[in-house]
Amino acid sequence: KLLVHGTPSPEMVKTIKASDDMTYPENVKISVCKRVITVEGPRGTLVKCFKYAALEFALDTEARKLTATKYFAKTLEAAAINSTLSHVRNMVIGVTKGFRYKLRFAYAHFPVNCTVTDAGVIEVRNYIGEKRVRKIKCLEGVAAERTDPA
């Protein structure tokens, strides 16, 4: 890189302290231990490990606030703060409201056929023209149902 008049390029500039925080509702309990965050709520408990992100987490239980801090961060490293807090926000939504996922089967050439058995097993036939039947067992708490194919 070419430096003009001794000014560093933007890639070389580091922020001394970058931090962001989030608040969480009353019916949620968050605990932090060595960058492993545990979120407990009315719908269950979620645990996620953030050891890959070199962040410092501070928990203020009275203000119900979680703060993530990164020292001497470059631009992309500072962006990890918002990504990590977004993960925690999604965990809070998961233990309070929950999520609903809808899966759609689409095909371009080989018509895929799926059936759902009473035992909670999804059978996929003719996947990429295969002759064998693929069987997928649903996890606990998962309700699978087939809607009208129209």
Side-chain angles (χ1 to χ4, degrees):
K1 299 277 180 180
L2 178 65
L3 297 179
V4 181
H5 301 292
T7 58
S9 65
E11 294 88 20
M12 296 172 64
V13 176
K14 290 187 177 182
T15 306
I16 294 174
K17 180 182 177 183
S19 67
D20 197 7
D21 56 7
M22 63 163 280
T23 57
Y24 54 95
E26 292 289 328
N27 58 349
V28 173
K29 180 186 172 201
I30 294 181
S31 62
V32 179
C33 180
K34 298 179 184 176
R35 286 189 254 167
V36 176
I37 297 181
T38 305
V39 181
E40 297 178 27
R43 294 182 64 96
T45 303
L46 292 173
V47 179
K48 188 146 178 87
C49 176
F50 293 104
K51 291 192 178 193
Y52 60 87
L55 299 176
E56 178 182 298
F57 294 104
L59 188 62
D60 185 5
T61 54
E62 284 124 22
R64 306 199 67 76
K65 187 182 288 189
L66 175 68
T67 305
T69 307
K70 170 81 175 168
Y71 292 98
F72 302 106
K74 294 182 181 177
T75 306
L76 286 177
E77 294 170 346
I81 295 171
N82 192 26
S83 299
T84 304
L85 289 180
S86 293
H87 279 299
V88 178
R89 283 186 198 101
N90 287 339
M91 291 167 68
V92 169
I93 291 172
V95 298
T96 54
K97 298 178 186 176
F99 286 99
R100 170 175 274 171
Y101 294 100
K102 291 187 178 182
L103 177 67
R104 269 182 208 228
F105 290 97
Y107 60 90
H109 180 71
F110 297 107
V112 178
N113 187 4
C114 296
T115 57
V116 179
T117 63
D118 292 334
V121 177
I122 301 171
E123 296 178 350
V124 181
R125 290 182 169 77
N126 203 27
Y127 178 71
I128 316 178
E130 290 181 338
K131 294 297 179 189
R132 80 176 183 100
V133 178
R134 292 178 179 251
K135 295 182 180 179
I136 302 140
K137 295 178 184 174
C138 293
L139 298 175
E140 290 182 27
V142 175
E145 65 181 37
R146 184 182 170 128
T147 59
D148 188 26

